[in-house]
Amino acid sequence: MRKIPAVMITDTVAELCARANIILRQDVLVLLRSARKKEKNGLAAAALDAVLENARAAAAERTPLCQDTGLPYVFLEIGQGVLITGLRLDAAVNNGVKRGYAYASCRESVVSHPLSRSGSSYAPAVIHTDIVPGSRVRVTVFPKGFGSENKTALKMFRPTESVDEIVNYVVTCAAEAGADACPPYIIGCGIGGGADTACLLAKKSLLRDVRRRSPDRLLHKMEKEILRKVNRLNIGPMGLGGRCTALAVNIEASPTHIAGLPVAVNISCHALRSASAVI
Amino acid sequence: MRKLITPLTKEKIAGLKAGEQVLLSGIIYTARDQAHKLIAAALSKGRKPPVELSSCVIYYCGPSGTPEGKVIGSCGPTTSSRMDAFAPLLLEAGVSAMIGKGGRSEEVVRAIKRRKAVYFTTYAGCGALLARTVRKAEVVAYPHLGPEAVYRLEVEDFPLVVAIDSSGRKLKGF
């Protein structure tokens, strides 16, 4: 058994929170630059220039990329051979979130009760744990902005539904998000499992390198087809028109029941932020 | 690109056309969900709102924390449609311009036309960049709301695009 003190989890989460909120992911940056080169619409090009300049400004001034520093999601892949000692795991994670968010001058966007809306603070984070083979812990911090989270959709399709119908559903979700959720989007999609599985897969799909398509041939084809159709919607960066409404579509799938076909869509704004480390 | 200075009078607004780029300097006030709820409640009870709304520019924004030595933290726009239920009331009370991101309801478009107001969009998700245009920032109402408090911002060349003009014409997608 490899022992890992909980304080190491805290330190790692703190560092990742600051990094994720300030430094734009390299894969996202590459797609943004390539979109800027292709953009011919003047207003859209100016908006993409602003997005690229914003990434430089955030990194140079150690300021969060966006004032919405998100609902912090923390994904932990914990090796079966690891024993975490000391503080409770959730407390260790939330201590790290508070420290990292304070260090990066983030916003206290979390309210402790969804109805009374009281007590805004940095934490608690939404924590997902997976037990995996090995003796390491992989920590991923994903601050999810709520302008885009509010556009999340779930549909329980009939199992006999065609792939085209699913493609069109995802395109419609992007069309309905319109300019509200900070396009150009990265569209996360989860297919299969139960309703909860599909939603979680859609969120996790956003953690995959946005330049890489799914290794599954059918999903790969769907990702390309959805992207092609979404980029014909003429919503464009900030809703100012043009050919870049989405940068990428990431789909993840899971086994499901013979009676069902859940499809979840979780959109990310252009400021897709996450950071990972292995302990 | 047109440069404008607050207050945004009806005359200044009347010349703006949907799709036009503007650099705004002067005073703007932040207000988002909870501040709108409180301002609307004050107005509907006939009480005085916490800031003078006549010719006022409202910015849908809740900034992140202010780093040491800085005027303000990241301060981009939030989704405007969440304020749609309150916007007509604020426009009737004299608000002349709104800044946010995303589309507005038909009711808001009608209220903009009726009151000869304007809806601007700015670079969403670019809070670090927009912070560079803020010269001064202070909380002037509802400090208990934290990031949702009303801030008075003094801005210089804040970049905007006219999304809905005073005749009700709008950019596709807004």
Side-chain angles (χ1 to χ4, degrees), chain B residues 12-34:
Chain B
K12 287 181 195 168
I13 290 171
L16 298 171
K17 296 275 170 282
E20 190 175 346
Q21 287 179 279
V22 172
L23 292 174
L24 180 68
S25 298
I27 305 300
I28 65 177
Y29 292 91
T30 69
R32 48 173 293 154
D33 307 68
Q34 301 303 329

Side-chain angles (χ1 to χ4, degrees), chain B residues 8 53 171:
Chain B
L8 292 186
L53 293 179
L171 273 179

Side-chain angles (χ1 to χ4, degrees), chain A residues 35-36 38-49 51 178-180 182-185 230-247, chain B residues 18-19 102 121-123 161-163 170-174:
Chain A
R36 172 62 187 88
K38 288 183 215 151
E39 190 58 71
K40 293 197 168 66
N41 172 317
L43 283 177
L48 288 170
D49 281 339
V51 169
D180 286 6
C182 297
Y185 298 133
V230 167
N231 282 337
R232 285 204 314 224
L233 293 171
N234 196 28
I235 295 170
M238 322 289 167
L240 297 170
R243 58 180 68 187
C244 183
T245 299
L247 295 170
Chain B
T121 189
T122 183
Y123 298 133
V161 177
V162 179
K170 52 181 189 166
L171 273 179
K172 184 188 166 290
F174 287 87

Side-chain angles (χ1 to χ4, degrees), chain A residues 102-120:
Chain A
Y103 173 79
S105 302
C106 290
R107 191 176 72 185
E108 294 178 310
S109 306
V110 182
V111 290
S112 59
H113 193 287
L115 298 176
S116 73
R117 316 296 298 177
S118 59
S120 73

